[in-house]
Amino acid sequence: MSTFEFEAELAAEREYVASLYEKLDEERRKAEQELERNLRERTATSPQARWQQQASVDHLTTRIHALKVADSGLCFGRIDETDGETTYIGRIGLFDEENDYEPLVIDWRAPASRPFYCATVAKPEGLVRRRHFRSRGHEVVDFHDDVLDLNAAEGGGDADSALLAALNAPREGRMRDIVATIQAEQDEIIRLGHGGVVVIQGGPGTGKTAVALHRVAHLLYNHRDRLARRGVLVVGPNEGFLDYVGNVLPSLGETSVVFATTGMLMPGVVATREDGPDAKRVKGSLAMVDVVKAAVADRQELPDEPIPIELDHVDDLKVDAKLAERARQYTRDAGLLHNDAREVFHQHLVEGLVTRAVNQIGKGWLDKRDTVLRAELAADTTAALKGSDDVVRAVNRLWPFLTPQRLLADLFSDRARLAAAAPNLSEADRESLYREVGDAWTVSDAPLLDEAVEFLGVDHSAEKRAAREREEHVKYTKGVLQVLETDDEMDDETLRASDVVDAETLADRNEERDGRDIATRASADREWTYGHVVVDEAQELSEMDWRILMRRCPTKSMTIVGDLSQRQSAAGARTWGAMLDQYVPQRWMYRELTINYRTPSEIMEVASRVLAELDATLAMPESIRSNGIRPQARETNAAAVAETVAEAVRTSPEEGAAVVIVPEGMTLDLAEFGVDAPVLTPQASKGLEFDLVVVVEPHRILADPLHGAAELYVALTRATQRLVVVHSEPLPAVLDGLESAVAETR
């Protein structure tokens, strides 16, 4: 399509979408006027008429809300069928009443919209093309076409040329809506059934993220009721990645997708800081389950010195270690979670104190055989001690209420507590867990905080309070219905209020409902379970990370995406079976993507040598692109690194996105040279792609003997067009090819 043709098409689409907004405004005005008329209506006197009026008000209120929501991104796509039919897809359906209710835009949930989400090049489902609109406010600012049936599409062409044209297009700040690069091996994965776990292994550029998101779109459409009700969780390696892909799934017209890193999976904590390698390895191991459990037990303390308890007529009542130990053992035997057991501990502590107090009070005059008097004295003493501030303080000291945050903050900032909770860890491993600021949360802490809930219990006080309030509300509405039915003129044939609405329903109507969408509610609720979970860069997840994810999805319906050759974390997966067999033995299937659509062969030739250094047995995906641009190296001195990097970005002929990838801990100020390209570490660049990639000081990236090769492999394979390496020290041996290429260009 020429520039002139594109501009003409864009103008036509703008005009059509503008007409849809006019129709939307008209529909909203009509609904608001009808709602106002209903609310002013005073002729409904019988219960039946009042019920009908209320039903109309409810319907109109819901309709107005839907029309308001649709105002944001009303129409986001179009499908062109082989028979010439064109259908627009949007967040709500609108129809032309004057033309036999011809659809102007159809709701994305309607059966007719299915091909928009499910068609691929391999299975076009009767479509010639799928068009995605990019809008700003009410205006269409751009569109992108997925050509699905090239033989039927105007201008003909072949699949490979269209695919390569799409792949060679400049990258944007956000991931494009999933385009027609879904080929046969990818399409088979997308259409797999929704049960169980699917592992998608693929090297750089194989499109595994696109396949995973397209699979979720397919599942959301075909299993909408279940997945929209429970939501979908998408877990990525960093916030930059989430922002990159975050505009894909919401284009479904729903807000049932939660995007998070593992550091965001514990409500109330957003952790972005990474631990050092040793701490990450220790925190990621299953040994931490026992450490957390022991840390909780360590807080169920015995007093070093007896705790005095003031009680009338008793001079020397105390909680000593013997009494506390007996109460603790009784409480532990009950098998309750720590916070739930506090009341039991309180009770046993009081019982022990009562026995001592009664013995002291009755010493010398109370016969042990006088059970009635002893019971009366014990009852009075129990009542006094239950309300004793001294006893409450003793309980708070010996069996404190603990949040996960308090438990772990106290543990990590106290070497003595670490020694008590982790006797089986080496001294060096315990020291790796210590930090002065206990609540300086890291990404690796999130699964530990979640694990702590398994031993501490969940605070249900808010839910209990809400249940009591609802019970009172239902009781009140029952009284209202009784008043409505005390009319003396009622006979057996008169419709009663209770015939059309019960107290529960009436209470529901008058309650303030939770208006938050699924994504907002799910991300704030630790007990929420999802209908499906997607994990990208899954090779980085630790054993503890997998525990928290498996809790979030009891049905174990998951799409897991990763590349074992790119593993950087010492706590990550070495094999998929090692991580998954303990949770879903015999219930996960493996699929591998072998074709690299993204990275030119010139760059992959360089990266292959780094991969061989990492592990000679790992297979390199086959790159189908060659752009004729050889990767370059630019040598400079240490003082001029930033200037050389800025020059590489500024003089690059690429029009798309550029990034600078530096070793961990290195900073570059490019602003003084007029360049605003992002500067990322290899870890932060995972899952992203850029037209131009400048890798800085590769010898420093390789300096990490455990993960340096994996990090350099990741850095090199982010480029879709051009790769430049800037160095102030001799290039590592694995990049010798770059050094000789530079010599040719001097």
Side-chain angles (χ1 to χ4, degrees), residues 311-367:
L311 183 67
D312 291 343
H313 312 300
V314 179
D315 296 329
D316 191 28
L317 187 61
K318 296 178 180 179
V319 176
D320 55 24
K322 182 178 180 180
L323 189 150
E325 185 175 16
R326 185 183 299 113
R328 182 175 71 175
Q329 191 57 53
Y330 284 144
T331 305
R332 287 177 173 176
D333 289 344
L336 299 175
L337 300 180
H338 175 86
N339 288 332
D340 297 336
R342 272 170 48 86
E343 187 175 340
V344 177
F345 180 75
H346 189 171
Q347 175 184 336
H348 284 299
L349 204 63
V350 167
E351 288 176 357
L353 289 169
V354 166
T355 299
R356 291 185 175 184
V358 168
N359 288 339
Q360 287 189 43
I361 294 171
K363 187 176 181 180
W365 64 270
L366 181 60
D367 193 327

Side-chain angles (χ1 to χ4, degrees), residues 636-643 645 660-670 679-682 694-701 726-728:
T636 186
N637 59 67
V641 167
E643 183 178 1
V645 169
V660 178
I661 301 180
V662 300
E664 188 75 41
M666 182 178 184
T667 58
L668 281 182
D669 183 7
L670 302 179
V679 178
L680 305 177
T681 64
V694 181
V695 177
V696 183
E697 304 290 28
H699 64 281
R700 287 180 54 182
I701 297 176
V726 173
H727 60 104
S728 63

Side-chain angles (χ1 to χ4, degrees), residues 408-699:
L408 291 186
D410 290 349
L411 175 67
F412 292 147
S413 60
D414 190 324
R415 289 187 173 89
R417 290 195 186 280
L418 281 169
N424 294 326
L425 294 183
S426 68
E427 185 175 349
D429 283 350
R430 286 199 299 270
E431 188 60 28
S432 73
L433 298 177
Y434 175 80
R435 61 188 180 221
E436 291 187 3
V437 181
D439 59 358
W441 304 119
T442 67
V443 173
S444 300
D445 290 332
L448 303 182
L449 290 165
D450 190 75
E451 192 70 34
V453 179
E454 297 295 299
F455 298 107
L456 296 175
V458 178
D459 183 5
H460 292 293
S461 57
E463 292 91 330
K464 291 178 181 178
R465 183 168 58 253
R468 288 194 300 269
E469 291 175 355
R470 174 170 174 75
E471 186 178 348
E472 293 174 1
H473 200 177
V474 170
K475 184 178 180 181
Y476 169 77
T477 54
K478 284 181 178 179
V480 172
L481 290 175
Q482 289 174 356
V483 170
L484 291 174
E485 296 179 356
T486 55
D487 192 330
D488 293 337
E489 297 180 2
M490 279 190 173
D491 54 37
D492 291 341
E493 297 182 357
T494 301
L495 184 67
R496 299 173 182 270
S498 58
D499 293 331
V500 295
V501 63
D502 58 23
E504 296 278 347
T505 303
L506 190 58
D508 284 340
R509 286 185 181 176
N510 290 283
E511 275 186 355
E512 182 178 348
R513 297 183 182 181
D514 190 341
R516 298 174 300 169
D517 57 47
I518 291 291
T520 304
R521 288 158 52 200
S523 58
D525 184 359
R526 189 260 175 189
E527 301 299 294
W528 192 277
T529 56
Y530 294 91
H532 192 78
V533 171
V534 179
V535 187
D536 208 329
E537 301 294 342
Q539 74 277 355
E540 304 297 342
L541 270 60
S542 70
E543 293 174 311
M544 294 302 297
D545 290 327
W546 284 111
R547 284 176 69 85
I548 189 173
L549 287 176
M550 292 298 173
R551 288 192 193 106
R552 298 296 188 267
C553 189
T555 60
K556 307 299 187 289
S557 177
M558 295 183 172
T559 301
I560 295 171
V561 180
D563 179 14
L564 295 176
S565 65
Q566 296 186 58
R567 180 179 65 85
Q568 295 171 275
S569 172
R574 286 172 171 78
T575 68
W576 297 118
M579 287 297 185
L580 297 175
D581 283 343
Q582 58 186 311
Y583 299 109
V584 284
Q586 312 302 319
R587 282 192 56 216
W588 62 278
M589 62 179 68
Y590 176 86
R591 294 292 186 273
E592 185 172 7
L593 298 173
T594 59
I595 299 174
N596 184 336
Y597 297 97
R598 180 187 72 203
T599 316
S601 58
E602 290 83 357
I603 294 176
M604 289 307 293
E605 182 182 348
V606 175
S608 66
R609 294 195 290 272
V610 179
L611 182 62
E613 181 82 5
L614 177 64
D615 186 341
T617 66
L618 294 173
M620 173 74 70
E622 179 184 357
S623 183
I624 64 170
R625 291 179 60 217
S626 174
N627 64 1
I629 305 173
R630 288 181 60 82
Q632 295 182 351
R634 300 190 183 186
E635 186 173 3
T636 186
N637 59 67
V641 167
E643 183 178 1
T644 305
V645 169
E647 182 185 4
V649 175
R650 191 169 47 246
T651 60
S652 173
E654 268 62 51
E655 298 178 356
V659 71
V660 178
I661 301 180
V662 300
E664 188 75 41
M666 182 178 184
T667 58
L668 281 182
D669 183 7
L670 302 179
E672 62 176 307
F673 302 104
V675 171
D676 61 356
V679 178
L680 305 177
T681 64
Q683 172 66 26
S685 73
K686 290 183 75 67
L688 306 181
E689 58 185 47
F690 304 88
D691 297 276
L692 168 67
V693 172
V694 181
V695 177
V696 183
E697 304 290 28
H699 64 281

